[in-house]
Amino acid sequence: MATFIRSVSAEFAKLLTTRMWWVLALVLFGYIGLLAGGLAALFAGLQSGAIDPSAAGTGGQGAPPLGSIPPLIYSFASSVGYVFPVLLGALATTSEFRHQTLTPTFLATPRRAGVLGAKSLTLFVVGVGLGVVALLASVGIGALVMNAFGVDPLLGDGETWTLIGRTLLAMGLWAIIGVGLGALVPSQVASIVIVLAFTQFVEPLLRLASSFLDWTAQIAQFLPGAASDALVGASIFTGMNPTATAAVALDWWQGGLVLLAYAAWATAGGYFVSWKRDVT
Amino acid sequence: MPVGAVIEFSNITKTFGPVTAVNDLSFTVQPGLVTGFLGPNGAGKTTTLRILLGLVASTQGTATFGGIRYRDLPKPLETVGAALEAASFHPGRTARNHLRVYAIAAGLPSERVMAVLEKVGLAEFADRRVGGFSLGMRQRLGLAFTLLGEPGVLVLDEPINGLDPEGIKWIRGFLRDMAAEGRTVLVSSHLLSEVQQSVDEVVIIARGSLVHRGPLSSLDAHATPHIVVDSPDREALAAALRAADVPFTTGRSGLVAVADDPARIGHIAFSAGVELSALHRRKSGLEESFLALVNGADS
Ligand SMILES: Nc1ncnc2c1ncn2[C@@H]1O[C@H](COP(=O)(O)OP(=O)(O)O)[C@@H](O)[C@H]1O
Ligand SMILES: [Mg+2]
């Protein structure tokens, strides 16, 4: 147990003594802040009549109903921001392979499973930290903008705070998925390409394509991004796709369990694929 | 005072697919001495040391410190300090932070970090990123890592590679001091000359197999004796040696005969009436015996 706690402290020290964490946190804040602020202005402006719908280029479809705007904006923290904890987790693992720091790591702590567990726990906590940063952007900036347009940001609402709590949980789980992916694909470049391609391209397309048929939608709800959105309870995907088959979404706790299963599967798989192998 | 444990390799074999990197290797390493672990590039030194440290799984055999496998040591960094050939650093981390990470993992007091940086002469570079370090500085940082837990055993893979002459002098003294304090010191090298001034014992491997072990001086016994002999009339001398069945080659400074005793060569020349201009025993160097041992394993 003492060894495990020391491993966790060492993993925190590893992460905090390189620049990657704050570079990612900064980009995350800027990206989510722009997106949440911009779309909050657009939707709230449409709702309040400050923006003319025909000029907004939404094809007259108009904005989402008033009450659904705040959760939609706030959920950008995870529905768009989740790629950041995955990247940080994947980089934390792959940099050990790339810079051959597994050698001193395993010399200091020869029990390797414990090290991987410590890394997962550490990245979970740091993923939650990135969640805080993302929420500062989506809730902080989003609420300010909505307020300015006279739309109630629902900050006193219990559901908003539930969403915030579940977003933090989702971001932590995503970071563990990154750790596992890094062990499954120890090549840093390959890992980054997979993360970006899957999260930015493959999964959104799959989710869109699958939403037209009931049976594909049934399967697609188990995609990690869909499970994450279910856990959080709101998403630009489910909120904005008018053709989406209604009611095909897991309960929040089911989404959480599916995401946890991905994290556990990736980490355990990575342990056998690379982590317990020869370090040469 | 750190206590050195006996390192014991028993019947270590390691195959990488079709390649047998280490082949049924057994030897022990005693405390209080510097043991040179020698062999040409690709002989299997690094693989053997990584097996010892639990980084590579052996196909067969075990390696232990005082009877305990590395992964079972209760306090590994306080028992064994190891620096492996490959530079294992995150280039974006400073020297101090690099060591701090592993001091935390091993539960060592944070003062050890500066203490070891001072010991290896890197104190002034503590807060520089390792990415900007020269090869010699990285070697020193690797050594600093080995000393973090004040271990009784040191395992160093090619620590002299990349050091400048001053660094080489420094590490020779360092190795001697470590052994004099009672530690077990195992140092690999592909060049005997690099370590011959510091080692007491040698273990020589070639193609994954043991070819020689013993005190450094035992290499002398393996030296092939040569007599250098020359004459104003080399043709006549060569004919005389041929007639007496003494094998020889023609060198720059005369004929080099394979024989033990200069007196015998002198007698052969005298009997044939050949005048000699040179006659002496050529001391073959340890390096030559080393190469002979290593190349002998080829055939
Ligand atoms: N990870 C590996 N995969 C395949 N072959 C390897 C691996 N590591 C080492 N080898 C092979 O094992 C042999 C011994 O290598 P090594 O232990 O590095 O020798 P040395 O350190 O004495 O130069 C070499 O033939 C090398 O190519
Ligand atoms: Mg080597």
Side-chain angles (χ1 to χ4, degrees):
Chain A
M1 196 60 213
T3 309
F4 184 74
I5 293 168
R6 292 200 303 255
S7 291
V8 173
S9 322
E11 291 300 326
F12 269 106
K14 278 180 194 171
L15 214 59
L16 300 180
T17 50
T18 52
R19 285 174 280 197
M20 194 50 71
W21 70 274
W22 63 259
V23 171
L24 282 178
L26 220 61
V27 177
L28 172 66
F29 184 86
Y31 182 36
I32 301 298
L34 272 177
L35 211 58
L39 286 178
L42 178 66
F43 294 158
L46 287 168
Q47 277 298 341
S48 63
I51 297 175
D52 175 7
S54 58
T58 55
Q61 246 178 29
L66 196 57
S68 72
I69 296 178
L72 190 64
I73 298 297
Y74 300 160
S75 71
F76 282 139
S78 62
S79 66
V80 177
Y82 75 105
V83 62
F84 289 82
V86 185
L87 271 182
L88 190 64
L91 288 169
T93 312
T94 53
S95 83
E96 298 260 24
F97 287 95
R98 176 167 171 208
H99 302 300
Q100 298 174 332
T101 44
L102 283 180
T103 293
T105 295
F106 292 158
L107 286 176
T109 318
R111 302 290 174 148
R112 299 186 186 182
V115 178
L116 191 58
K119 198 180 273 300
S120 299
L121 179 61
T122 302
L123 264 294
F124 176 83
V125 173
V126 176
V128 169
L130 284 179
V132 171
V133 170
L135 286 164
L136 280 175
S138 74
V139 178
I141 296 175
L144 276 179
V145 171
M146 283 184 277
N147 213 26
F149 280 90
V151 172
D152 181 3
L154 301 180
L155 285 182
D157 198 306
E159 280 184 30
T160 300
W161 290 96
T162 309
L163 179 142
I164 287 174
R166 292 186 194 157
T167 298
L168 294 175
L169 178 60
M171 294 292 266
L173 290 174
W174 277 114
I176 302 183
I177 292 177
V179 170
L181 177 78
L184 284 170
V185 186
S187 151
Q188 190 157 68
V189 173
S191 238
I192 293 173
V193 168
I194 288 173
V195 170
L196 293 179
F198 188 81
T199 61
Q200 306 305 299
F201 188 67
V202 177
E203 193 181 23
L205 273 183
L206 280 177
R207 287 177 70 182
L208 186 67
S210 67
S211 67
F212 297 101
L213 288 174
D214 189 58
W215 67 272
T216 50
Q218 291 289 349
I219 296 171
Q221 65 184 337
F222 291 99
L223 285 170
S228 171
D229 289 346
L231 165 61
V232 170
S235 159
I236 189 76
F237 285 102
T238 44
M240 288 298 287
N241 185 355
T243 57
T245 318
V248 178
L250 301 169
D251 276 337
W252 74 269
W253 59 272
Q254 291 171 320
L257 284 180
V258 169
L259 209 56
L260 181 65
Y262 274 109
W265 175 83
T267 312
Y271 175 78
F272 289 104
V273 167
S274 68
W275 199 257
K276 72 185 273 283
R277 295 291 174 94
D278 288 349
V279 182
T280 58
Chain B
M1 181 60 57
V3 202
V6 175
I7 304 175
E8 181 164 11
F9 296 89
S10 11
N11 308 101
I12 300 282
T13 295
K14 177 66 183 182
T15 54
F16 292 106
V19 180
T20 301
V22 184
N23 187 10
D24 197 26
L25 188 59
S26 300
F27 64 94
T28 57
V29 183
Q30 299 298 329
L33 302 173
V34 180
T35 301
F37 184 35
L38 307 170
N41 285 324
K45 304 181 296 295
T46 301
T47 304
T48 305
L49 297 181
R50 284 187 175 270
I51 289 170
L52 172 66
L53 298 164
L55 295 167
V56 166
S58 64
T59 309
Q60 253 160 42
T62 51
T64 56
F65 299 88
I68 306 172
R69 286 182 306 168
Y70 190 86
R71 50 169 289 135
D72 296 328
L73 291 171
K75 295 178 170 181
L77 288 198
E78 287 158 80
T79 313
V80 182
L84 290 150
E85 189 180 25
S88 307
F89 315 105
H90 190 297
R93 221 170 258 142
T94 63
R96 184 202 302 272
N97 283 335
H98 169 75
L99 295 174
R100 203 161 62 84
V101 164
Y102 305 107
I104 292 171
L108 300 169
S110 55
E111 303 87 67
R112 290 297 304 154
V113 170
M114 270 323 282
V116 296
L117 282 173
E118 259 152 39
K119 173 98 183 164
V120 302
L122 283 179
E124 57 180 309
F125 305 105
D127 294 312
R128 292 250 200 107
R129 289 209 174 83
V130 180
F133 278 21
S134 69
L135 186 53
M137 289 163 83
R138 286 165 197 238
Q139 288 279 31
R140 285 172 189 255
L141 184 56
L143 284 178
F145 172 77
T146 69
L147 300 175
L148 268 180
E150 302 183 79
V153 180
L154 288 180
V155 176
L156 310 175
D157 194 11
E158 309 253 1
I160 296 175
N161 249 351
L163 289 185
D164 52 19
E166 190 204 349
I168 293 176
K169 191 163 164 245
W170 175 81
I171 200 170
R172 282 180 177 151
F174 170 83
L175 294 174
R176 297 250 43 101
D177 292 349
M178 291 290 128
E181 288 172 18
R183 289 186 183 81
T184 310
V185 183
L186 180 60
V187 191
S188 84
S189 176
H190 61 283
L191 291 173
L192 174 66
S193 56
E194 226 174 41
V195 291
Q196 85 185 54
Q197 274 140 298
S198 353
V199 301
D200 305 296
E201 292 278 321
V202 290
V203 173
I204 301 174
I205 64 168
R207 298 189 161 192
S209 301
L210 187 71
V211 294
H212 178 80
R213 54 162 310 188
L216 181 65
S217 57
S218 68
L219 280 179
D220 265 339
H222 282 264
T224 339
H226 290 297
I227 309 290
V228 177
V229 57
D230 206 1
S231 163
D233 185 358
R234 256 192 210 179
E235 290 299 308
L237 178 61
L241 288 176
R242 235 177 269 125
D245 276 336
V246 176
F248 64 92
T249 54
T250 306
R252 229 180 330 116
S253 53
L255 305 182
V256 183
V258 181
D260 275 328
D261 187 5
R264 177 163 169 248
I265 304 296
H267 180 75
I268 291 167
F270 179 76
S271 308
V274 177
E275 181 191 348
L276 291 187
S277 56
L279 176 65
H280 57 92
R281 195 197 295 267
R282 191 177 75 183
K283 180 106 177 118
S284 88
L286 292 179
E287 192 73 36
E288 269 177 43
S289 344
F290 169 62
L291 288 175
L293 280 167
V294 159
N295 294 330
D298 277 357
S299 44

